[in-house]
Amino acid sequence: MTDNRIPDSLDSLWTTCHLATLRAGEDGYGVLNNGALAVKDKKIVWIGPESNLPEGIRRRTPTVHNLGGAWVTPGLIDCHTHLVYAGNRTGEFERRLNGATYEEITRHGGGIMSTVNAVRAADEEDLYMQSVLRLKAMQAEGVTTLEIKSGYGLDPESEMKMLRVIHRLGRDFPVNVMPTFLGAHALPPEYRDDPDGYIDLIVDKMLPAVASGGLAVAVDAFCERIAFSPAQTERVLRAAVSLGFKVKLHAEQLSDLKGAALAAQYGALSADHLEYLDKDGIAAMARNHVTAVLLPGAFYFLQETKKPPVNHLRAAGVRMAVSTDCNPGSSPCTSPLLMMNMACMLFGLTPVEALRGITIHAAHALGMEDKAGSLEPGKRADFAIWDISEPAELSYGMGGNPCRLVVKDGEIVIRREDPYTTGRDDVVL
Ligand code: NIG
Ligand code: FE
């Protein structure tokens, strides 16, 4: 990071607050009590004790925000979402509660395919508007960066439609959106008898089109018994890497197909879910610095009993991120705060691990650790301001939202009194 000298002129100063900086090279919250933070040109330029602010700087700064003792954290980062989708899967939820399993429903043409049908049928505007509601719910809880995957189109035109909506959300709202192409999410019915033919379509047509249109930064796949085999997944990863994409993988969610080790072999940013991850997979992730993205919402909502091996991941020094997995089938969730609570209560993370998991470690899962995820000079001025008495309170609550303000690129974009504004005058909803 750049040095921490305060420039002569600033755009804004944020004072009378406590900071959980989550800065690199520390394991804790990085607490700075009675601190202040200075912003210039959309970046954090200085952080320090308020008592160290130079004489006269307040007078020379156009906007000084006295936060009255609130806590400031980095803007939250939701690093694994399927936030763009149409419809819902309430019927499937009822079937599961009457005894059907997620895998059975998927094998009978429901599950991901029922959302694919809804996305294919939806016009682009409708898909956008349905997704906006979820994005705004996340923003209200402090999210300033999120990843959004395609993967409910599964044909070239419908995947492009999803990616266009994903890009539009990033343009219209004060959030950084990382678009991920997930063409290998499920086998579309057109290829029921020819799964390798669908992989050919992805490798030969869809990936090159996504690359030439600049429509995605990363490529993901679902390596699972009900989705794609390791050999099919490997073809997607290899093609993606050769086109310059970053890669990630849905791995070891329902069974152990050694997906995490495969992801590590291709230099993946992250392997995600990981309930069935074994020792070799952990070692491969540790060796290759692959972030483990934990998704307690999916574990909870599918009533899974096998937990990801958190103790072993921790012992091996694998970074653990936490995310909503926002999607209609396995985690219809827009609450990063609830995921922090569930990461603690269901998976055994500590509150500080949960907050690191949804800030700095999530930034690593997106390859954005030099720009976001902690309060440090040189990073984007993205932060959330909370009415809490200590940082662990963010993991402690179940429901309720103590987020008072959300700041993106140095500007207030959400105020709690009116959390449903876009923060931009030119976007009318
Ligand atoms: O991350 N595991 C695969 N994909 C999603 C679920 C998608 C769905 O059921 O619609 C997940 O859990
Ligand atoms: Fe997912």
Side-chain angles (χ1 to χ4, degrees), residues 80 82 250 273 325:
H80 177 139
H82 309 251
H250 283 72
H273 286 287
D325 195 12

Side-chain angles (χ1 to χ4, degrees), residues 80 82 89 92 102 111-112 115 152 182 185 222 250 253 273 295 298 302 325 327-331:
H80 177 139
H82 309 251
R89 304 244 286 277
E92 185 180 305
Y102 183 67
I112 292 172
T115 301
Y152 289 121
L182 177 58
H185 194 195
F222 187 18
H250 283 72
Q253 179 185 11
H273 286 287
L295 304 167
L302 297 183
D325 195 12
N327 78 72
S330 70
S331 190

Side-chain angles (χ1 to χ4, degrees), residues 138-207:
M138 283 190 181
Q139 286 185 286
E141 287 194 13
V143 170
T144 53
T145 298
L146 76 163
E147 186 245 23
I148 309 179
K149 302 172 195 291
S150 69
Y152 289 121
L154 309 186
D155 63 39
E157 180 40 41
S158 309
E159 285 292 301
M160 294 298 161
K161 177 169 75 178
M162 287 194 74
L163 288 168
R164 285 194 300 271
V165 169
I166 292 168
H167 278 262
R168 186 172 160 202
L169 292 171
R171 281 196 307 273
D172 289 353
F173 290 86
V175 285
N176 284 103
V177 171
M178 167 148 154
T180 295
F181 174 69
L182 177 58
H185 194 195
L187 187 63
E190 308 83 80
Y191 285 86
R192 185 172 298 131
D193 301 320
D194 184 18
D196 291 323
Y198 183 58
I199 300 294
D200 293 340
L201 177 72
I202 290 176
V203 167
D204 298 336
K205 300 249 163 58
M206 292 163 93
L207 279 176

